[in-house]
Amino acid sequence: MQVYFPAPLEYQDFPKAEMNAVMEAMKNVLHSWAYLPSGSIGAPVEGPAPLQLERSVRLSGRALGYLNVRTNPELSKILAEYAQGEPVAVENQEDAFHEFVNIFCGHLMTYLWGKEGKGFDSFLPIPTTPADWPITSPAASCAFIVEDIPVEVRLWIKGDRH
């Protein structure tokens, strides 16, 4: 397993509301959906890190947004087994990560915009790579450790539409 060395969050200049929303949503979804503990470990590594499993969600509605979640495939297996309480066939393991990102996105929008977050158009996680990311800096990004596996989250938000 590769060693993952994130940068401390205190050196990042992200809005507090966005960072808190990302951290609370991650903790809540991992705990309530997969019964897994997680710990924030700072900002994602520069590079980006060679994490092979990545899903992104384009948001539209009250604001335009782009959410990106990256990890290693091992987390899919763990998520599938913990969420379903039993071993899952290999071909269905990535579905657990897809579902996790979907649920995380819904919780994140609620943390950011409350009930108004429900006013967003439907969203579905899609497979992406770092080449698909917006060219601007994210509004928030942080890394987590789940069962010794790094998880990176990046969130770009463009404007608030009232």
Side-chain angles (χ1 to χ4, degrees), residues 91-145:
E91 61 272 8
N92 297 328
Q93 290 175 0
E94 264 191 44
D95 291 345
F97 182 69
H98 183 93
E99 182 66 15
F100 165 74
V101 172
N102 194 26
I103 293 168
F104 173 71
C105 186
H107 278 72
L108 179 61
M109 289 189 307
T110 300
Y111 277 105
L112 286 170
W113 296 291
K115 293 186 192 276
E116 293 177 28
K118 303 260 187 237
F120 277 82
D121 296 336
S122 295
F123 52 86
L124 287 175
I126 58 170
T128 55
T129 68
D132 299 313
W133 299 353
I135 57 172
T136 59
S137 295
S141 67
C142 55
F144 300 87
I145 286 290

Side-chain angles (χ1 to χ4, degrees), residues 5-12 41-46:
F5 293 107
L9 280 177
E10 60 265 15
Y11 299 117
Q12 306 301 316
I41 57 170
V45 298
E46 292 293 324

Side-chain angles (χ1 to χ4, degrees), residues 44-49 51 54-56 58 66-70 128-136 138 141 152-154 156:
V45 298
E46 292 293 324
L51 301 173
E54 178 174 323
R55 294 291 183 272
S56 295
R58 291 192 185 279
Y66 187 87
L67 171 67
N68 177 267
V69 183
R70 307 177 75 231
T128 55
T129 68
D132 299 313
W133 299 353
I135 57 172
T136 59
S141 67
E152 294 181 346
V153 177
R154 290 174 177 83
W156 288 263

